[in-house]
């Protein structure tokens, strides 16, 4: 979480290295069943994060009985050091993404930093 110095009004926000280290530790404790890959994209991945930036996660799972919009609710994202949002795709949904949403799939291919599993764009 952000930390305010007692002698300064400057708000410090965790940098990418600190957030990535926390994400790896979080993954050790909270990996969902069937997890194939975990990465992050957005401002943290581009190195543009600042005070108030959130962490945009992408998780690929083998399968899920839940619809896509319910899957992130199963993750304790509040335990990460910054606000986080997650997209959870099954492998079949992931394979279909370039046809369903080509611009988004290209943005993910360009900027996602994978911290677990193989880069699904370059198997």
């Amino acid at each position: 979480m952000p930390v305010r110095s007692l002698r300064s009004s400057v708000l410090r926000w965790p940098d990418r290295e600190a957030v990535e280290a926390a994400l790896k530790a979080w993954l050790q404790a909270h990996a969902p069943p069937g997890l194939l890959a975990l990465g992050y994209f957005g401002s943290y991945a581009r190195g543009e994060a600042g005070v108030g930036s959130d962490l945009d996660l992408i998780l690929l799972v083998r399968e899920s009985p839940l619809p896509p919009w319910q899957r992130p609710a199963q993750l304790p994202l509040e335990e990460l050091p910054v606000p986080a949002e997650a997209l959870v795709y099954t492998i079949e949904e992931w394979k279909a993404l370039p046809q369903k949403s080509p611009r988004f799939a290209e943005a993910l291919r360009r900027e996602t930093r994978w911290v677990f599993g193989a880069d699904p764009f370059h198997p």
Side-chain angles (χ1 to χ4, degrees):
M1 280 294 158
V3 178
R4 187 179 304 272
S5 169
L6 293 176
R7 292 181 235 153
S8 171
S9 62
V10 175
L11 193 61
R12 293 182 299 148
W13 201 254
D15 63 15
R16 178 167 66 186
E17 291 75 23
V19 169
E20 189 170 308
L23 179 58
K24 289 177 181 177
W26 177 90
L27 179 61
Q28 293 293 318
H30 303 293
L35 182 66
L36 301 171
L38 168 72
Y40 61 96
F41 62 99
S43 61
Y44 269 103
R46 292 188 305 268
E48 300 170 357
V51 172
S53 291
D54 70 340
L55 183 62
D56 300 300
L57 300 174
I58 186 152
L59 293 87
L60 304 182
V61 295
R62 194 170 320 284
E63 59 189 16
S64 175
L66 298 173
W69 60 89
Q70 289 181 350
R71 296 174 196 153
Q74 307 299 310
L75 303 170
L77 299 176
E78 69 280 356
E79 294 184 20
L80 290 165
V82 295
E85 295 182 10
L87 298 173
V88 183
Y89 290 103
T90 65
I91 194 67
E92 293 305 316
E93 293 164 344
W94 181 255
K95 289 177 183 176
L97 190 62
Q99 289 77 38
K100 291 182 87 170
S101 192
R103 291 178 65 193
F104 184 55
E106 176 58 23
L108 289 175
R109 186 198 62 74
R110 254 190 344 268
E111 69 181 42
T112 302
R113 293 178 55 102
W114 297 99
V115 298
F116 172 79
D119 177 346
F121 288 110
H122 304 97

